[in-house]
Amino acid sequence: MLSKTAEYALRATIYIALKGSEENKLGIEEIALGIDSPKSFTAKILQLLTQNNRVISSVRGPNGGFYLTDRARKLPVKAILEAVEEASVITKCVLGLKECSETRPCPMHTQYKNIKKQLKQMFEKTSIQQLVDEFNKGNYFIDNLKGVRKPC
């Protein structure tokens, strides 16, 4: 359902939140390796996420890198999707039709509208920090994150 861009953006943000800080900024190479993503693709995604410090903050130079501020950690997961221009995934027609509505529904509209509502609520109400906290409690794991402690 989510594009590769959105998937990598979510994983990169979680990885940076888990491993980085303002004192310990992470480089593109480490992030790409950590989320199992090509370096050039990771760079493009990070560029979208750092525009105007939207989600991720960055500093250039020898001691530079990427990190999340306390403000960013409080952002809903939806902010990541918006930054990579993928927020429409939670509002558009499941079949990709331009004119799908209550008055002109696609064959899956009725079944999917409740799922879409739940997805929207999940992405709007779950913060980046909540995902990090759940991971740190050992309740969840992300196989693709390398170099991050995985719960037993």
Side-chain angles (χ1 to χ4, degrees), residues 94-135:
V94 70
L95 297 182
L97 302 177
K98 292 179 184 175
E99 294 186 34
C100 180
S101 66
E102 290 293 320
T103 56
R104 289 184 47 99
C106 76
M108 297 183 76
H109 180 81
T110 304
Q111 294 173 50
Y112 188 64
K113 73 179 179 180
N114 291 328
I115 296 167
K116 188 166 45 172
K117 182 179 177 183
Q118 290 174 333
L119 283 172
K120 187 174 186 242
Q121 287 177 346
M122 178 185 70
F123 286 124
E124 289 175 347
K125 294 185 186 290
T126 305
S127 73
I128 295 167
Q129 188 60 50
Q130 284 174 297
L131 295 178
V132 170
D133 291 344
E134 289 299 317
F135 184 89

Coordinates of all heavy atoms in Angstrom, one line a residue, residues 94-135:
V94 N -8.9 3.1 -3.1 CA -8.1 1.9 -3.1 C -7.8 1.4 -4.5 O -6.7 0.8 -4.7 CB -8.7 0.8 -2.2 CG1 -9.9 0.2 -2.8 CG2 -7.7 -0.2 -1.8
L95 N -8.6 1.7 -5.4 CA -8.4 1.3 -6.8 C -7.7 2.4 -7.6 O -7.4 2.3 -8.8 CB -9.7 0.9 -7.5 CG -10.5 -0.3 -6.9 CD1 -11.7 -0.5 -7.7 CD2 -9.6 -1.5 -6.9
G96 N -7.5 3.6 -7.0 CA -6.8 4.7 -7.6 C -7.7 5.5 -8.6 O -7.2 6.2 -9.4
L97 N -9.0 5.3 -8.4 CA -9.9 6.1 -9.3 C -10.0 7.6 -8.8 O -9.9 7.9 -7.6 CB -11.3 5.5 -9.2 CG -11.4 4.0 -9.7 CD1 -12.8 3.5 -9.5 CD2 -10.9 3.8 -11.1
K98 N -10.1 8.4 -9.8 CA -10.2 9.9 -9.5 C -11.5 10.3 -8.9 O -11.6 11.2 -8.1 CB -10.0 10.7 -10.8 CG -8.6 10.6 -11.3 CD -8.4 11.4 -12.6 CE -7.0 11.1 -13.1 NZ -6.8 11.8 -14.4
E99 N -12.6 9.6 -9.3 CA -13.9 10.0 -8.8 C -14.6 8.9 -8.1 O -15.5 8.2 -8.5 CB -14.8 10.4 -10.0 CG -14.4 11.6 -10.7 CD -15.3 12.1 -11.8 OE1 -16.6 11.9 -11.6 OE2 -14.9 12.6 -12.8
C100 N -14.1 8.6 -6.9 CA -14.7 7.6 -6.0 C -15.2 8.3 -4.8 O -14.5 9.0 -4.1 CB -13.6 6.6 -5.6 SG -14.2 5.3 -4.5
S101 N -16.5 8.1 -4.6 CA -17.2 8.8 -3.5 C -18.4 8.0 -3.0 O -18.7 7.0 -3.6 CB -17.6 10.2 -3.9 OG -18.6 10.2 -4.9
E102 N -19.1 8.6 -2.1 CA -20.3 7.9 -1.6 C -21.4 7.9 -2.7 O -22.1 6.9 -2.8 CB -20.9 8.7 -0.4 CG -20.1 8.6 0.9 CD -20.1 7.1 1.4 OE1 -21.1 6.5 1.4 OE2 -19.0 6.7 1.9
T103 N -21.4 8.9 -3.6 CA -22.4 8.9 -4.7 C -21.9 8.2 -5.9 O -22.7 7.8 -6.7 CB -22.7 10.4 -5.0 OG1 -21.5 11.1 -5.4 CG2 -23.4 11.1 -3.9
R104 N -20.6 8.1 -6.1 CA -20.0 7.3 -7.2 C -18.9 6.4 -6.7 O -17.7 6.6 -6.9 CB -19.4 8.3 -8.2 CG -20.5 9.1 -9.0 CD -19.9 10.0 -10.1 NE -18.9 9.3 -10.9 CZ -19.1 8.8 -12.1 NH1 -20.3 8.9 -12.6 NH2 -18.2 8.2 -12.8
P105 N -19.3 5.3 -5.9 CA -18.3 4.5 -5.3 C -17.7 3.4 -6.3 O -18.4 3.0 -7.2 CB -19.1 3.8 -4.2 CG -20.5 3.7 -4.8 CD -20.7 5.0 -5.6
C106 N -16.5 3.1 -6.0 CA -15.8 2.0 -6.7 C -16.3 0.7 -6.1 O -17.0 0.7 -5.0 CB -14.3 2.1 -6.6 SG -13.6 1.6 -5.0
P107 N -16.1 -0.4 -6.7 CA -16.6 -1.7 -6.1 C -16.0 -2.0 -4.7 O -16.6 -2.8 -4.0 CB -16.0 -2.8 -7.1 CG -15.8 -2.0 -8.4 CD -15.4 -0.6 -8.0
M108 N -15.0 -1.4 -4.3 CA -14.4 -1.7 -2.9 C -14.6 -0.5 -2.0 O -14.2 -0.6 -0.8 CB -12.9 -1.9 -3.1 CG -12.6 -3.2 -3.9 SD -10.9 -3.6 -4.0 CE -10.7 -4.3 -2.3
H109 N -15.3 0.5 -2.4 CA -15.5 1.8 -1.6 C -16.1 1.5 -0.2 O -15.5 1.9 0.8 CB -16.3 2.8 -2.3 CG -16.5 4.1 -1.6 ND1 -15.6 5.0 -1.5 CD2 -17.5 4.5 -0.8 CE1 -16.0 6.0 -0.8 NE2 -17.2 5.7 -0.3
T110 N -17.2 0.8 -0.2 CA -17.9 0.6 1.1 C -17.0 -0.2 2.1 O -17.0 0.2 3.2 CB -19.2 -0.2 0.8 OG1 -20.0 0.6 -0.1 CG2 -20.0 -0.3 2.1
Q111 N -16.4 -1.2 1.6 CA -15.5 -2.0 2.5 C -14.3 -1.3 3.0 O -13.9 -1.4 4.1 CB -15.1 -3.3 1.8 CG -16.2 -4.3 1.5 CD -15.7 -5.4 0.6 OE1 -14.7 -6.0 1.0 NE2 -16.4 -5.7 -0.5
Y112 N -13.7 -0.5 2.0 CA -12.5 0.2 2.3 C -12.6 1.5 3.1 O -11.7 1.8 3.8 CB -11.7 0.4 1.0 CG -10.3 0.9 1.2 CD1 -9.3 0.2 1.8 CD2 -9.9 2.2 0.8 CE1 -8.0 0.6 2.0 CE2 -8.7 2.7 1.0 CZ -7.7 1.9 1.6 OH -6.4 2.3 1.8
K113 N -13.7 2.1 3.1 CA -13.9 3.4 3.8 C -13.6 3.3 5.3 O -13.0 4.2 5.9 CB -15.2 4.1 3.5 CG -16.4 3.5 4.1 CD -17.6 4.3 3.7 CE -18.9 3.8 4.4 NZ -20.0 4.5 4.0
N114 N -14.0 2.2 5.9 CA -13.7 2.1 7.4 C -12.3 1.8 7.6 O -11.7 2.3 8.6 CB -14.6 1.0 7.9 CG -16.1 1.3 8.0 OD1 -16.4 2.5 8.2 ND2 -16.9 0.4 7.8
I115 N -11.6 1.0 6.8 CA -10.2 0.8 6.9 C -9.4 2.1 6.7 O -8.5 2.4 7.4 CB -9.8 -0.3 5.9 CG1 -10.4 -1.6 6.2 CG2 -8.2 -0.4 5.8 CD1 -10.3 -2.7 5.1
K116 N -9.8 2.8 5.7 CA -9.2 4.1 5.4 C -9.3 5.1 6.6 O -8.3 5.7 7.0 CB -9.8 4.7 4.2 CG -9.1 5.9 3.6 CD -9.5 6.3 2.2 CE -11.0 6.3 1.9 NZ -11.3 6.9 0.6
K117 N -10.4 5.1 7.2 CA -10.7 5.9 8.4 C -9.7 5.5 9.6 O -9.1 6.3 10.2 CB -12.1 5.8 8.9 CG -12.5 6.7 10.0 CD -13.9 6.5 10.4 CE -14.3 7.3 11.6 NZ -15.7 7.1 12.0
Q118 N -9.6 4.2 9.8 CA -8.7 3.7 10.8 C -7.2 4.0 10.5 O -6.5 4.4 11.4 CB -8.8 2.2 11.0 CG -10.2 1.8 11.6 CD -10.4 0.3 11.6 OE1 -9.8 -0.5 10.7 NE2 -11.2 -0.2 12.5
L119 N -6.8 3.9 9.2 CA -5.5 4.2 8.8 C -5.2 5.7 9.1 O -4.1 6.1 9.6 CB -5.2 3.9 7.3 CG -5.0 2.5 7.0 CD1 -5.0 2.3 5.5 CD2 -3.7 2.0 7.6
K120 N -6.1 6.5 8.7 CA -6.0 8.0 8.9 C -5.8 8.3 10.4 O -4.9 9.1 10.7 CB -7.2 8.7 8.3 CG -7.1 10.2 8.3 CD -8.3 10.8 7.6 CE -8.1 12.3 7.5 NZ -9.0 13.1 8.1
Q121 N -6.6 7.7 11.2 CA -6.5 7.9 12.6 C -5.2 7.4 13.2 O -4.5 8.1 14.0 CB -7.6 7.2 13.4 CG -9.0 7.9 13.2 CD -10.1 7.2 13.9 OE1 -10.0 6.0 14.3 NE2 -11.3 7.8 14.0
M122 N -4.7 6.3 12.7 CA -3.4 5.7 13.2 C -2.3 6.7 12.8 O -1.5 7.0 13.7 CB -3.2 4.4 12.6 CG -1.9 3.7 13.0 SD -1.6 2.2 12.2 CE -1.3 2.7 10.5
F123 N -2.2 7.1 11.6 CA -1.2 8.0 11.1 C -1.2 9.4 11.8 O -0.2 10.0 12.0 CB -1.1 8.1 9.6 CG -0.7 6.9 8.9 CD1 -1.4 6.3 8.0 CD2 0.6 6.4 9.2 CE1 -1.0 5.1 7.3 CE2 1.1 5.2 8.5 CZ 0.3 4.6 7.6
E124 N -2.4 9.8 12.1 CA -2.6 11.2 12.7 C -2.4 11.1 14.3 O -1.9 12.1 14.8 CB -4.0 11.7 12.4 CG -4.1 12.1 11.0 CD -5.5 12.6 10.6 OE1 -6.5 12.4 11.5 OE2 -5.7 13.2 9.6
K125 N -2.7 10.0 14.9 CA -2.6 10.0 16.4 C -1.3 9.4 16.9 O -1.0 9.5 18.1 CB -3.8 9.3 16.9 CG -5.1 10.0 16.6 CD -6.3 9.3 17.3 CE -7.6 9.9 16.9 NZ -7.9 11.2 17.5
T126 N -0.6 8.6 16.1 CA 0.6 8.0 16.6 C 1.8 8.9 16.3 O 2.0 9.3 15.2 CB 0.9 6.7 15.8 OG1 -0.3 5.8 16.0 CG2 2.1 5.9 16.4
S127 N 2.6 9.2 17.4 CA 3.7 10.1 17.2 C 5.0 9.3 16.9 O 5.0 8.1 17.1 CB 4.0 10.9 18.4 OG 4.5 10.1 19.5
I128 N 6.0 9.9 16.3 CA 7.2 9.3 16.1 C 7.8 8.7 17.4 O 8.3 7.6 17.4 CB 8.2 10.3 15.4 CG1 7.7 10.7 14.0 CG2 9.6 9.7 15.3 CD1 8.4 11.9 13.4
Q129 N 7.7 9.5 18.4 CA 8.3 9.1 19.7 C 7.5 7.9 20.2 O 8.1 7.0 20.9 CB 8.2 10.2 20.8 CG 8.9 9.9 22.1 CD 10.4 9.6 21.9 OE1 11.1 10.3 21.2 NE2 10.9 8.5 22.4
Q130 N 6.2 7.7 20.0 CA 5.5 6.6 20.4 C 6.0 5.3 19.8 O 6.2 4.3 20.4 CB 4.0 6.7 20.1 CG 3.3 7.6 21.1 CD 1.8 7.8 20.6 OE1 1.6 8.4 19.6 NE2 0.9 7.4 21.5
L131 N 6.4 5.4 18.5 CA 7.0 4.3 17.8 C 8.3 3.9 18.4 O 8.6 2.7 18.6 CB 7.2 4.6 16.3 CG 5.9 4.8 15.5 CD1 6.3 5.2 14.0 CD2 5.0 3.6 15.5
V132 N 9.1 4.9 18.7 CA 10.4 4.7 19.3 C 10.2 4.0 20.7 O 10.9 3.0 21.0 CB 11.2 6.0 19.4 CG1 12.5 5.8 20.3 CG2 11.6 6.5 18.0
D133 N 9.3 4.5 21.5 CA 9.1 4.0 22.8 C 8.7 2.5 22.8 O 9.1 1.7 23.5 CB 8.0 4.8 23.6 CG 8.5 6.2 23.9 OD1 9.7 6.5 23.9 OD2 7.7 7.1 24.2
E134 N 7.8 2.2 21.8 CA 7.3 0.8 21.7 C 8.4 -0.1 21.3 O 8.6 -1.2 21.8 CB 6.1 0.7 20.7 CG 4.8 1.3 21.2 CD 4.3 0.7 22.5 OE1 4.3 -0.6 22.6 OE2 3.9 1.4 23.4
F135 N 9.3 0.4 20.4 CA 10.4 -0.4 20.0 C 11.4 -0.6 21.2 O 11.8 -1.8 21.4 CB 11.2 0.3 18.8 CG 12.3 -0.5 18.3 CD1 12.1 -1.4 17.3 CD2 13.6 -0.3 18.8 CE1 13.2 -2.1 16.8 CE2 14.7 -1.1 18.3 CZ 14.5 -2.0 17.3

